[in-house]
Amino acid sequence: MNNAQPNSAPLNLPLIVIGAGGHARVLLDVLRSMGREVLMLTDHDPACHGKRIEGVLVQGGDEIVFKYAPDTVRLVNGIGSVALPATRQQVYERFTGEGYQFETLVHPSATVADSAQLGPGVQIMASATIQPGARLGQNVLVNTAASIDHDCVIGDHVHIAPGVTLSGNVTVGSTSHLGTGATVVQGICLGERVLVGAGAVVVRQIENDVTVMGVPARPVKRAATKSEPAKQTRPFNIMLSAAGRRVALLNLLRQSVEALGLTGHMLATDIARTSSAFQTAEFARIVPHYTDPHCLEQMLAICREFEIGLIVPTIDPDLVFYSRHRPRFEQAGTQVMISSPEAIRICNDKQATHDWLVKQDFPTMRQADAAAILNDHSDWRFPLFVKPRHGSSSQGAGLVRDLDELRVAVAPGDYIVQEVAKGQEYTVDTYVDRQGRCRCTVPRLRLETRAGEVSKGMTVRCEPVQALTRRIAEALPGARGVLNVQIFHDQETDTLRVCEINPRYGGGYPLAHQAGAPMAQWMIQEALDLPVDAEENQWTDGLVMLRYDAAVFVSKAEAGLASSHEQASAPAVRS
């Protein structure tokens, strides 16, 4: 047995770790135990730059690597994966294409047989075991305490998660991911881009592009090409969380499932039955507030009960909850297409949003804490715009014309004050894919608003607004899925000012969808690992939306407004 295999180039060159997330932290511990010199970390997220991870500085973006000749450094792939490891593959191929080499790493506590073969860039983590005759392709990650038995063949870019057990003569195709604690029995062949869920036990051959879960493992979905419809093995059910009045969004999600040739049902959840979307969905469930200590377990139980494939959060307070617990939902087989906790922290706090925009050198309006202006307003000119620091849906926001109005407006609590921006106000519906690429931007001109939501709007192709939105979306750390960015554009001076960023569906999203940018459909495609057919300018310019009221009629018991005795006996689930 041995604990390392030499690389073809000289050993002990200084190392650069690509990525500064959780996997990179573990790698730094491995490298420290091996006595290796780490020059720096890099990361595409500007928010990480200047920070230290396990004592090592994140010096900047990945492009810093190119300051070093390929024969003077070695690279370490610090990108982990919780699904198919495409990002790890992209990082590896980008730099090997430029002549750089990735270091092969074996933790001192790992056991690797003498006859095992490890490709370039392989990483064997603590307490892992690689038995005789096993062959591992390039850029394979074998995580903590995983076991690969004799004569297994592991393709390029595969991630074997912690605690996985592969019996003898197993074959795993390239760019597959085997989830934590999964088991594959003797002689089984897994195709390429296979996703094995956590704890699954695989006892049959698995074709390319298939996700399997359970004991024994069964197919959940099969990826498709644009010319091939999805081959569905069970309904794709969607939960609309905090459903409220989002009937239009619920209907568009339902239509998107049908447009992809799938079957599935909509489940609406809310804390009260007096919700129009709650009453419109096929299934509905009353749930605790997200601050309830039992909320997570109850939501996970609902996801398992209804076999939820995707959760769509709708309100700002819930975003933190779902983003923080996204790994738990993914372990239950449920995707939550939502931005990172850091992105949501920035967007949900108006002061943090302003600070981030200024730091990134994005144009925004002048802003200050309301208390500071009340103390000294000598260099501020009324009217000014006030809004709660942590508010949403324009509640508590509005113009103030003088100091007295300002005092009254900000009396309820923590407010910020902004100078009034000139020009037209756009809300830009934006889609960011899993790789952090902004795929489409649709500016909506706000013609009229009511209760914080647009009631009349029009799509307007405006390249300066769209270009700024793309830059913001790709700079926001961990942005993912649907965002809406509010921007003022003064056409006379061609001045842009960013007002807000919301990491969720906006109330006026149906206009973008109907104009030809079906972001709900793209979200479903990503959740199912289908190709996303999004393009920047595929939507119709000049489409006008004129919203109107509609009503849902239910009995008082169905609305939860019956007498206390009747309400207590009302069913918690409606179908």
Side-chain angles (χ1 to χ4, degrees):
M1 296 286 180
N2 65 60
N3 291 92
Q5 295 198 11
N7 295 285
S8 58
L11 294 175
N12 295 323
L13 290 174
L15 303 172
I16 299 175
V17 179
I18 310 297
H23 183 56
R25 291 185 60 197
V26 178
L27 287 171
L28 290 173
D29 183 67
V30 175
L31 295 169
R32 186 178 296 111
S33 69
M34 296 172 64
R36 298 300 302 274
E37 176 191 1
V38 180
L39 289 178
M40 70 182 83
L41 293 99
T42 70
D43 199 276
H44 73 280
D45 180 4
C48 296
H49 300 171
K51 294 183 178 180
R52 289 189 176 272
I53 309 295
E54 300 294 319
V56 180
L57 182 65
V58 184
Q59 289 200 10
D62 297 349
E63 65 279 357
I64 288 180
V65 171
F66 298 117
K67 294 182 179 180
Y68 297 83
D71 59 352
T72 62
V73 295
R74 281 289 184 86
L75 306 185
V76 176
N77 197 338
I79 308 298
S81 70
V82 294
L84 296 179
T87 304
R88 279 181 55 82
Q89 178 182 359
Q90 290 166 4
V91 167
Y92 184 86
E93 292 179 343
R94 175 189 181 189
F95 288 105
T96 55
E98 297 291 337
Y100 292 88
Q101 295 187 59
F102 282 78
E103 190 80 340
T104 298
L105 302 178
V106 179
H107 193 281
S109 68
T111 301
V112 180
D114 291 335
S115 61
Q117 299 177 28
L118 307 185
V122 164
Q123 298 173 358
I124 311 295
M125 309 308 284
S127 301
T129 301
I130 314 296
Q131 296 287 19
R135 289 179 289 157
L136 280 62
Q138 58 186 340
N139 194 39
V140 169
L141 168 56
V142 180
N143 229 315
T144 309
S147 176
I148 299 178
D149 219 306
H150 67 88
D151 301 305
C152 288
V153 178
I154 312 300
D156 297 341
H157 314 297
V158 169
H159 180 188
I160 306 228
V164 167
T165 299
L166 303 186
S167 300
N169 290 295
V170 168
T171 299
V172 181
S174 64
T175 324
S176 293
H177 175 100
L178 280 66
T180 301
T183 299
V184 184
V185 303
Q186 179 93 8
I188 293 297
C189 179
L190 278 62
E192 297 181 352
R193 298 172 301 281
V194 167
L195 176 59
V196 179
V201 177
V202 182
V203 298
R204 296 182 180 87
Q205 312 295 337
I206 306 298
E207 298 178 3
N208 294 345
D209 303 301
V210 173
T211 294
V212 296
M213 296 181 180
V215 180
R218 293 184 174 87
V220 176
K221 58 198 177 228
R222 183 178 186 275
T225 64
K226 291 183 179 180
S227 60
E228 176 188 15
K231 296 182 179 178
Q232 192 176 10
T233 59
R234 71 175 188 180
F236 185 75
N237 300 325
I238 299 176
M239 176 195 295
L240 188 65
S241 175
R245 300 169 53 239
R246 305 299 287 272
V247 176
L249 177 57
L250 184 145
N251 288 334
L252 291 175
L253 287 164
R254 184 187 287 124
Q255 292 170 19
S256 296
V257 171
E258 296 172 354
L260 292 170
L262 306 172
T263 60
H265 302 288
M266 294 299 304
L267 167 70
T269 63
D270 217 314
I271 59 174
R273 292 182 178 85
T274 51
S275 155
S276 51
F278 184 92
Q279 298 294 340
T280 306
E282 293 95 314
F283 300 97
R285 173 65 67 87
I286 296 295
V287 296
H289 194 270
Y290 78 97
T291 57
D292 187 305
H294 304 293
C295 182
L296 175 60
E297 294 306 321
Q298 291 192 38
M299 298 303 293
L300 288 169
I302 289 171
C303 288
R304 289 189 287 266
E305 177 186 354
F306 288 92
E307 296 186 303
I308 298 299
L310 174 67
I311 295 175
V312 179
T314 62
I315 60 174
D316 294 333
D318 286 2
L319 299 179
V320 176
F321 170 84
Y322 283 111
S323 185
R324 181 185 301 127
H325 298 300
R326 181 168 58 191
R328 292 288 305 277
F329 286 101
E330 289 178 345
Q331 289 172 9
T334 301
Q335 295 288 320
V336 188
M337 304 295 286
I338 194 172
S339 295
S340 69
E342 175 64 8
I344 291 169
R345 181 195 67 80
I346 291 170
C347 297
N348 280 3
D349 180 339
K350 304 298 187 294
Q351 186 60 53
T353 303
H354 181 266
D355 293 344
W356 180 81
L357 290 169
V358 171
K359 182 178 179 181
Q360 299 297 319
D361 200 29
F362 291 124
T364 186
M365 56 280 295
R366 187 183 179 201
Q367 179 175 305
D369 180 77
I373 296 179
L374 288 173
N375 184 56
D376 181 7
H377 63 281
S378 57
D379 59 344
W380 290 79
R381 296 183 60 183
F382 289 94
L384 298 172
F385 195 82
V386 300
K387 53 187 172 183
R389 178 172 174 175
H390 299 281
S392 62
S393 301
S394 297
Q395 295 179 6
L399 285 173
V400 293
R401 298 175 184 82
D402 54 40
L403 198 58
D404 290 336
E405 287 189 4
L406 176 61
R407 289 194 183 94
V408 173
V410 304
D414 193 2
Y415 275 69
I416 57 96
V417 177
Q418 295 176 334
E419 286 186 337
V420 177
K422 295 181 180 179
Q424 295 179 315
E425 181 180 4
Y426 294 89
T427 297
V428 188
D429 292 307
T430 308
Y431 193 82
V432 182
D433 67 17
R434 278 177 168 159
Q435 284 70 49
R437 296 173 298 177
C438 182
R439 301 288 295 274
C440 186
T441 57
V442 185
R444 295 185 275 109
L445 185 60
R446 304 178 76 178
L447 303 176
E448 183 179 292
T449 60
R450 183 176 61 176
E453 286 191 356
V454 60
S455 57
K456 297 178 183 179
M458 179 174 66
T459 57
V460 178
R461 206 175 300 282
C462 182
E463 180 53 31
V465 170
Q466 291 176 258
L468 177 57
T469 301
R470 289 192 292 269
R471 289 172 52 212
I472 292 169
E474 295 187 350
L476 187 64
R480 181 184 183 190
V482 176
L483 318 174
N484 65 84
V485 183
Q486 292 175 237
I487 298 176
F488 283 87
H489 183 211
D490 185 348
Q491 292 181 319
E492 291 185 4
T493 61
D494 199 27
T495 301
L496 299 168
R497 293 286 184 268
V498 185
C499 178
E500 286 190 16
I501 309 169
N502 298 298
R504 54 168 172 76
Y505 285 91
Y509 162 73
L511 174 55
H513 190 108
Q514 297 295 345
M519 298 180 187
Q521 183 171 312
W522 301 337
M523 182 174 283
I524 294 169
Q525 287 175 321
E526 284 210 279
L528 289 170
D529 294 326
L530 303 177
V532 177
D533 50 4
E535 297 179 6
E536 175 60 283
N537 291 313
Q538 66 186 63
W539 47 275
T540 301
D541 185 21
L543 183 66
V544 177
M545 176 179 68
L546 306 173
R547 303 178 88 174
Y548 64 96
D549 288 334
V552 175
F553 299 95
V554 297
S555 69
K556 65 178 182 179
E558 289 173 315
L561 299 175
S563 66
S564 58
H565 172 73
E566 291 173 316
Q567 185 172 346
S569 62
V573 180
R574 180 185 50 73
S575 62

